[in-house]
Amino acid sequence: MSRWEFVGRTGELNRLLEAVTGEAGRGLFFSGSAGIGKSRLLREGVGALPTDRFAIWSIAASATTAALPFGGLVQVLPAEQPQGLSPAGILRWALNVLQQQAAGRRIVLAIDDAHLLDPPSAALVHLVARAENATVVGTLRDGEQIPLPIRALWTDDLVEHVELTPMPQEETTDLLAAILGGPVDAGSADRLGRLSAGNPLLLRELVHAANGSAELKRTYGIWKWTGRLELAPNLTDLIDTRVGKLTDGVRAVVELVAFGEPLGLHLLRQAAEQSDVETAEERGLITVIQHDRRTNVRLAHPLYGEVMRRRCPVSRTRRLQAHLAELLEQVGKRRRDDLLRVAVWRLDSGTAQDPALLLDAAVQAFTRYDVPLATRLARAALNADGGYDAAELLATILMFADRPDEAIDVLDAVTPEPGDERRLCRWLTVRGMVSYWGLSQQSTVEEIASRVEQLSDSADRSRVHAFEAIMRLHRLDTTTAVQLSRRVLDRPAAGVAARELARSTIAYVQAAQGELTRSGTAIAQVHSAAASWRTDMPYLQLALELARGTRLMLTGDLAGIDAIVADEFADLAGAGDFRLGTGYLAILQAYAARLRGQSDAAMRTSLGACAVLATSRVYAGLAQAERAQAAALRGDATQAVAAMAEADRTHAPGMAVLYPWLEQARGASLAASGDLPGAVKHLGDLVDRLRSDGFAGHEVHVLHDLVRLDQAGMAVGPTCSDGGRRTVAQRLAELSERVDGVLPPLLARHARAAVTDSPTDLLAVADDYAALELTVYAAEATSQAVQRLRRQHSAAANDARERLAGLLGRCDLIRTPALQAGAPVLTEREWQVARLAAHGAPSRAIAERLYLSARTVENHLQRIYAKLGVTGRAELWAALRSIPGHDGVDPS
């Protein structure tokens, strides 16, 4: 990691190059904070300039040379200067020297840290900028005194002056991948990006420190940061330089904000002198931000807080935290956040004595899906004699922190007394949840069912039945699951959380059965009641997301998937290390990317889901199945097979309801491995199983997989009354009238067009797929049309190839059996000749390039035309681009 590749800053780099190479030839200066990337950007821009057109001099000004006349240009000017010249004469002499050395080329003078130039050098730079055949570019550091000749460059309109802003999060993520040599978990990238505030130098130092302390780990090829920050000496020195020396009063302000941010300005004014607060703001150590109706104070850079907190003595740290808690308690906890802040300050300062405060704060943290903080507060509440309620909450949180064994121990230590039905109800449900999903003990369902009879209260019984129902759903006892759920909904005494958990169970079954409209209505009801159930049962969000995500995938609603992976829950789950939530949402995101043909994103995101879920078996198998699908899309049979093996190893028996996704992925893996007969048989068997289970919503997608494998005419299902069996196309036609949404009729049209060998209908289907952003399906349908048009020797084949090339151009690498079935096979030499010819190279030039005779080139071209089904060079480019895996790169 000594040096990383240049990442991002495309707009700024282009602007710099345009400033030099454009017609105006006007220069450009970037200014910004230390480490923001000014120097690297300048080097990259200058390095991209052709030296045959430009005479380039790069200068790095420094404090060492600032005291010497022309010291800043010591790398440019001759060591000996002529004697007896006036200052103006020396400047003209220096400019003449540059003109002579340029030898007619345009002069480009690049000055890094131009604020450190000595006065004569600054004057010469200004003189060069005024010359007709010269351009000046450079960098400046914020907050430094700038020599007047340099400042005059933009005030005299000789150059542009641009403030270089921090790198956006997307570019920060790309830079992290470049530094580490592999993709980074989204949550880790976000946290590191926020800590570095988009500063590449600080980001590099953070990564060095984390990597050196083993806080960065790689799982399934994805880097993940534990969140524990190590401050290396280099990083601390950088922050010290920025902060500078502080008076006691200003230090107190910065420390208070470091421990309390975001801190209300009114609280800070009570805790510190107004003059010290103003000084801290003037020096750029804190910033005042208006948020809603509250004025908050934050540190100007996240790392200031890390340094201040690390260096603050323990006794002062505890005093400051206790003082902050007292101040907020005195003015009143007016906002919901205030309770949590007071509890954390009390806990950290050692003054937390109220278990009710800690318990309420733990609940609040869990409703925000901040698992580490909720665990800490709940444990503190239990240790402060918080009793059964604290134990129940702690055990629940430990379950979602992937620590089920510890959760069971906590619960078993507080087994309810006989006759305490309320606690028995909650104990049964929490222990059942931990036992079933955490420890994969399927007998839990029967244990809960047998003990519910001990409860006389209708609301308590409903809560237990709601849990039993969703457990039965997950182990594929859907009939009983729906019956129990409806029983809960029919009981007026059932609590809100129990009712909405039961409704989520029904919504999932409805989606799987193809009743997608009714499922959507139920999901909307659960979502609208969130404010009523979130405090009681925040993990119900997982049941909601499973039902909602399943429905969106089955409807092909990729925009809907985009919306839920970008909503508040996704942000909270990512920030709070709620892995089941972030892992499942990553699976959805990978699914959407895959159907759009974004195979790179699909693979990266699915690997990220595998990494996040590596310690939890709830969705681990599903994540591996999506990884297998992403690998199959790319034609990577080795990884697809390995992912399916991991799916089988990690898939929990208690998650049997997810089998359609896993078995569909197995079919894709078999096909990617070249075992098309095996894939067809497997998918046919899966169709029968789905039909038996009544999962019509899934069945249409598996039938469509058979259409994609050119099996639309294959017989499936049981023997009918007429003695025959329905074909895939006929079964899809039947289901298109039963399964809701626009997608099933489109899938049925695809099957019918494939059976009737209608290129026109296949192209029409492809257009409709493309309108839904189902780019892979659109490309495959177009490929099937191209194959049929070629067999018919139709003149429309070239137009269809153009359409296929356009679709493939919107995708990353995709190599599915449907795309490869009719793709011609060219030898390596034929590829070389074809690409050169497609880019306009005449046969003689191709012959010289490849050391062949012109006749040999022509022979190659004739064979290429025959294989591709084209008549000449005019059709060659589209034909090549319509072959999966063709990179479209100009070989020259």
Side-chain angles (χ1 to χ4, degrees), residues 292-340:
D292 292 336
R293 290 178 296 174
R294 179 176 287 188
T295 304
N296 288 330
V297 182
R298 285 187 175 276
L299 293 175
H301 196 287
L303 286 177
Y304 293 173
E306 294 293 337
V307 171
M308 298 304 292
R309 288 189 290 269
R310 295 290 180 91
R311 291 185 169 178
C312 190
V314 174
S315 57
R316 186 159 76 237
T317 295
R318 293 164 72 91
R319 175 174 58 80
L320 288 170
Q321 291 166 331
H323 187 36
L324 287 168
E326 290 166 3
L327 286 172
L328 192 51
E329 287 172 333
Q330 288 171 8
V331 301
K333 298 185 284 291
R334 302 171 185 172
R335 295 195 176 192
R336 190 166 179 268
D337 294 356
D338 292 345
L339 167 69
L340 191 57

Side-chain angles (χ1 to χ4, degrees), residues 786-797:
V786 169
Q787 295 171 39
R788 286 158 175 78
L789 288 168
R790 284 187 59 195
R791 288 200 298 265
Q792 298 167 10
H793 303 288
S794 171

Side-chain angles (χ1 to χ4, degrees), residues 504-517:
S504 296
T505 299
I506 291 173
Y508 184 94
V509 175
Q510 288 170 333
Q513 292 177 344
E515 298 179 46
L516 299 166
T517 302

